[in-house]
Amino acid sequence: MNDIGEFTLLLALATAVYGCVAYIMSARGNRIDLYLSADKTPFIVWACVMTSSICLWRAFLTDDFSLQYVWAYSNIELDTFYKVSSFWGGQKGSLLFWTLLLSTYMLVVYFQNRKKNLRVVPYAMAIMLVIVVFFLVLINFSTNPFERIPLPPEDGRGLNPLLQNYWMVIHPPTLYLGYVGFTVPFAFAVAALISKDLDDGWIRMTRKWTLISWFFLCMGNLFGASWAYVELGWGGYWAWDPVENAAFMPLLIATAYLHSVMIQEKKDMMKVWNMSLILLTFSMTIFGTFITRSGLIQSVHTFDEATLGYFFLGFLFVIITSCAALIISRLPLLKSANELDSFLSRESSFLFNNLLLLGIAFATFWGTIFPIISEAVRGVKITVGPPFYNQVNVPIGLALLALVGIGPVIAWRRATLSNLKKNFLKPLLAAMVGAMAMFPVIPLGSRAEIYTYATFVISIFVLSCILAEFYKGTVARMGLHEESVAGALSTMAWRNKRRYGGYIVHIGVVMIFAGIAGSQAYGTHTEKHLKLGESFEIRGYTIRYEKLVAIEATNIKTRIIAQLAVERDGKRYWTGHPEKEFYKGQNQPVSEVDVLSTWKEDLYMILADFREDESATIKVYVNPMVSWMWTGGWIIAFGAMVSMWPDRLEQRRRLDRIRKQEQLFLSPAQE
Amino acid sequence: MLAWLFISPISPAGAGALLQDLENALMCKCDDKCGKVLINCTCSTSDKTRGTFTKMLESGLTVEQIIKMQVDKYGETVLSAPTKFGFNLTAWVMPFVALVAGGFGVRKVLSSWVRKKDDSDSAESPNEEPEISEKYSKRLKDELDGIEL
């Protein structure tokens, strides 16, 4: 089977190279024979990569330690669940997994579009195949997951204990689905540039792909935060690690693109800008893989065998220079009638939204690469950690939050004074009332607390703006159609999925902002060394240390579990079981925290240390409003689903458009 | 208010904040090179470091003195953020310079677009008398304000 896996990888490479050349030649020379031939390659490439992936999964599931990769990331005792996820636990497998997702996306694009726009689609397929070729070259000739060990050992080294968490099965694939997904709009954008088919056709063809990729990237980031929260045991969820930044930057740029593309769709403006944004988003996804695979920037996520940095850097250079050259050469065709009625308009608010999103992306990028710049200039590799990002990004983030409320409500074209008054007076009043109500009860002793207060006030303003939009629409519908509140609200949202889905996403964003602000400013923690039966208090909770239990979970894993009774007002409220897991052959034990999560706050418990006399060091955090973030994430997911849901009305409009175009091209003779 | 927030010094809230300030300001220097800020690190080295810092604070050393001692021992890499002087200042300033430059850029682009629109409007209707009365013009404007495109 391993031979088959290796062979199919080579076959996939050869087919992808052929497909790429054939697609380009068919498009350039109008050769239908070549097109029909090339048209089979996406499926063959996908089948080959899938076969190869199945072979690797089989090797993991059957403990085939003759493969160096399986030996390095699995062992006999590993749960089947984690044997499946070990596939992407290391560099070699993660590249194969990336290629599998990419070829799967390519196959779906192929089935969706093969009979549409024959000027753009062949080039788009060729671009995607070029990217597949890059990854297949790396897999075949540099990091082959089917590399053998001449004398196979009896057992493997095992998967890093930190990766033995259920989020390992969810977070990397979600993030990869987002990363890889942006290949599709990127490929169509480049194809539009090459074919000079530069109307908004490529945007319409890839709108859903962009939304889906954005959704996965957003969820991937949130899942990563959630994983860090429950697994790393330091009471936080985001450490501004370079690899976290690498996943965050494309999300920001893609968000900017999702907003500015609306202006192109509505007013046929900002073509160069949108083209640049999607190219930048894709470049950032490659930059992320460069960081994890180069070892140039110190990160907790870096793969053990980070040796591919220069390949990715070279690839990034080729992408950026060739795309920039393409855009410059097509500038005359990308010219649009950029006209604006007024400064005070939704168009300009979207431009400022883009500015702030890119501002945060730039600050994050700058902080990520500054250690390299510092080393090059001064010979000192300094560290750029959370204090930098928090100080720089938080003020920009607050301005962005305010625009989340202003942008969708301000009128297109020109906002008049009466329009502004109508849309913003009540939300502003609500924010002022909220500010006054919170002022006496919220502490304002530190910078973090003042920021948090500002966040809460702006959040009230934004939520009021959004809810007012729902209210106005519902009332109008109820008056016109005599519907109930629920009926009018649901019909209104359903008939205008994109708009109201977007509003729901914004509600989720507000909740995430509020959750981050609350948890950063009002959290507290304490650490106590306790003997059995001793207790301590934190924020009204009494934590009583009851017992310590040792369990031999498997031959290689021992669990030490502390039992902690949580009391409130003299009554037992909950029982926590934080633990430490010891893995044979690993230097550091892994903390498994226990969290009591409520709407108000999280009680987060860690077993920091223990001694032979059964005394233990217990660390407890009280993190307010963390669950707001996760709830915000699910609201974003729901809103994105609503936005992405197929729209019959939109399909009908598209058909009408195609019909009109066909009529335009029908000559009198044909008629 | 935001500008004031940015320039104001970090002010700790509550007791035990000195150790937290140190944990925020310094990186973990374990043998594994975990690359984590001390406050985010859970390895045994970080626990020992915390213990050492607690003793140092109890002995009367200030946060600044302890940070200086750590920088002398490990170099600048032990700091979790760049200092705010010399070349490192560029790390702090650049994002805001870029943002302000971008803001001016956006403003310039917007004004050129608005100007273009004004020019094209005046070219389309040279010296024409308005055909609709003030009353209808106002009504149209009000209704357009209410329309969501």
Side-chain angles (χ1 to χ4, degrees), chain A residues 350-421:
Chain A
F350 277 13
L351 271 185
F352 281 106
N353 137 311
N354 271 224
L355 174 71
L356 295 176
L357 283 164
L358 290 190
I360 300 174
F362 176 74
T364 310
F365 176 76
W366 182 246
T368 308
I369 61 156
F370 195 77
I372 303 173
I373 296 173
S374 166
E375 194 176 22
V377 176
R378 295 172 57 217
V380 182
K381 193 169 190 170
I382 60 150
T383 314
V384 181
F388 169 84
Y389 296 103
N390 291 339
Q391 278 198 49
V392 173
N393 282 344
V394 171
I396 311 175
L398 281 180
L400 183 67
L401 179 62
L403 272 185
V404 172
I406 297 166
V409 180
I410 198 167
W412 286 102
R413 298 178 68 224
R414 184 190 295 271
T416 58
L417 195 66
S418 63
N419 169 270
L420 291 175
K421 209 168 128 187

Side-chain angles (χ1 to χ4, degrees), chain B residues 52-95:
Chain B
T52 315
F53 287 165
T54 309
K55 280 178 195 159
M56 285 172 151
L57 288 167
E58 283 166 2
S59 74
L61 286 171
T62 63
V63 170
E64 289 73 25
Q65 283 170 328
I66 298 171
I67 289 174
K68 192 175 176 306
M69 284 165 69
Q70 293 294 306
V71 172
D72 291 343
K73 190 174 174 187
Y74 297 105
E76 258 183 76
T77 47
V78 77
L79 296 173
S80 65
T83 51
K84 287 180 182 169
F85 50 82
F87 178 75
N88 286 347
L89 191 61
T90 53
W92 296 94
V93 170
M94 268 301 273

Side-chain angles (χ1 to χ4, degrees), chain A residues 232-234 239 266 269-270 298 300 336 338-343 346 348 351-352 355-356 359 362-363 366 370 373-374 377-378 380-388 391-392 395-396 398 408 412-414 416 418-419 422 445-447 449-451 454 469 499 525 587-588 608 619 621, chain B residues 1-2 4-6 8-13 20 23-24 27 32-37 39-44 47 50 76-82 84 87-88 90-92 94-96 98-99 102-103 106-107 109-114 116-118 120 141-142 144-146 148-149:
Chain A
L232 296 182
W234 53 275
K266 283 199 188 293
M269 287 162 65
M270 299 172 71
Q298 199 179 26
V300 287
S336 43
N338 289 327
E339 289 179 351
L340 204 62
D341 290 69
S342 164
F343 262 111
R346 192 178 297 187
S348 59
L351 271 185
F352 281 106
L355 174 71
L356 295 176
F362 176 74
W366 182 246
F370 195 77
I373 296 173
S374 166
V377 176
R378 295 172 57 217
V380 182
K381 193 169 190 170
I382 60 150
T383 314
V384 181
F388 169 84
Q391 278 198 49
V392 173
I396 311 175
L398 281 180
W412 286 102
R413 298 178 68 224
R414 184 190 295 271
T416 58
S418 63
N419 169 270
K422 199 168 78 184
S446 69
R447 188 175 55 199
E449 287 170 351
I450 296 168
Y451 271 143
E469 280 296 290
R499 179 175 166 197
H525 70 271
N587 295 335
Q588 296 280 349
K619 207 169 181 177
Y621 287 81
Chain B
M1 187 172 80
L2 292 180
W4 175 79
L5 285 170
F6 181 67
S8 67
I10 293 169
S11 50
Q20 206 171 318
E23 287 181 282
N24 265 316
M27 303 296 292
D32 290 346
K33 291 183 179 170
C34 66
K36 291 179 191 164
V37 181
I39 201 163
N40 300 348
C41 193
T42 53
C43 73
S44 50
D47 287 337
R50 279 185 205 103
E76 258 183 76
T77 47
V78 77
L79 296 173
S80 65
K84 287 180 182 169
F87 178 75
N88 286 347
T90 53
W92 296 94
M94 268 301 273
F96 291 99
L99 198 67
V106 168
R107 193 179 170 280
V109 165
L110 284 174
S111 6
S112 75
W113 289 355
V114 172
K116 217 194 274 183
K117 175 73 181 168
D118 291 344
S120 65
K141 204 169 135 197
D142 287 345
L144 278 173
D145 285 347
E148 181 58 53
L149 289 176

